[in-house]
Amino acid sequence: MIQRGLEIRDVHVEGVHQVTKQEILERLSLKQGTALHQVSLPYLAERLQAHPWIKEAILERRPLHQLLVTVVERKPSAIVRTAFEHVLTDEDGVVLARIGRRDETALPLLTGVDHKALLQGERRLKQRIQSSVELAKRMAHSVEGRIEIDLSHPVHLVASATGVRFQF
């Protein structure tokens, strides 16, 4: 009787734009008849945060039958061009989507990146992408046009915009 009285009957999802509610429900993988007190909120948040677009997930129990899921999604910050395809990343260097040869000219273009290291989430490469995105943000206030940053050199970044090259 108590079990049925606290059963999760509604999962309310907030903050999603790229991720669908159905994807959230699939990742939660809640069995029918599960009670609110039977779920581990940190475990479920971890499962959601394994999705590339989800930066943070906050779960709350709401009386009597509701589980509230609040999601903070990652925002696209750069296009990384590898030898094989273009990849959409966020400001932390997390791969959000493989987009083939499509391009989004409103975002900075990062080149000279090893495809395999990018897809494996290599820590050092993520740090270089983070630095490049921050540099592109700062440059955008001073230069016009699309900013392209070459990460092929192990120490220096070479940025260009409207035909002008900068080495950092």
Side-chain angles (χ1 to χ4, degrees):
M1 184 75 152
I2 293 173
Q3 175 79 11
R4 244 180 101 65
L6 297 175
E7 179 180 15
I8 298 172
R9 294 187 189 150
D10 178 38
V11 178
H12 184 75
V13 180
E14 296 179 348
V16 291
H17 304 286
Q18 297 293 327
V19 183
T20 65
K21 181 177 180 179
Q22 185 59 39
E23 287 176 287
I24 297 288
L25 295 174
E26 288 171 9
R27 284 202 177 254
L28 291 174
S29 187
L30 297 171
K31 292 182 173 58
Q32 188 159 354
T34 303
L36 279 170
H37 68 280
Q38 290 180 313
V39 296
S40 167
L41 299 184
Y43 172 75
L44 292 177
E46 209 173 282
R47 287 182 61 128
L48 292 175
Q49 288 166 186
H51 190 288
W53 281 93
I54 299 177
K55 186 171 190 167
E56 184 179 6
I58 301 162
L59 287 90
E60 299 175 45
R61 295 176 179 97
R62 293 281 172 96
L64 289 170
H65 305 283
Q66 187 180 65
L67 183 64
L68 174 63
V69 179
T70 305
V71 172
V72 176
E73 290 185 343
R74 296 180 183 279
K75 294 179 177 68
S77 297
I79 300 289
V80 178
R81 182 174 62 206
T82 69
F84 303 103
E85 65 184 338
H86 290 159
V87 178
L88 188 63
T89 66
D90 77 340
E91 65 187 5
D92 296 325
V94 173
V95 172
L96 301 177
R98 299 166 74 173
I99 57 175
R101 288 290 175 194
R102 284 186 316 151
D103 197 3
E104 177 57 55
T105 58
L107 295 173
L109 179 66
L110 310 181
T111 61
V113 174
D114 178 70
H115 187 260
K116 186 177 177 182
L118 177 67
L119 295 181
Q120 289 177 344
E122 187 179 282
R123 185 183 57 82
R124 186 170 165 89
L125 179 56
K126 278 185 170 185
Q127 291 170 339
R128 290 182 55 82
I129 291 172
Q130 289 171 355
S131 298
S132 299
V133 169
E134 184 60 34
L135 175 60
K137 284 180 187 176
R138 292 175 189 263
M139 287 180 66
H141 298 294
S142 305
V143 296
E144 289 187 28
R146 186 177 198 183
I147 298 168
E148 295 184 24
I149 301 177
D150 183 356
L151 285 81
S152 60
H153 192 278
V155 178
H156 303 290
L157 295 176
V158 178
S160 60
T162 59
V164 180
R165 288 175 42 114
F166 305 90
Q167 184 171 336
F168 299 90

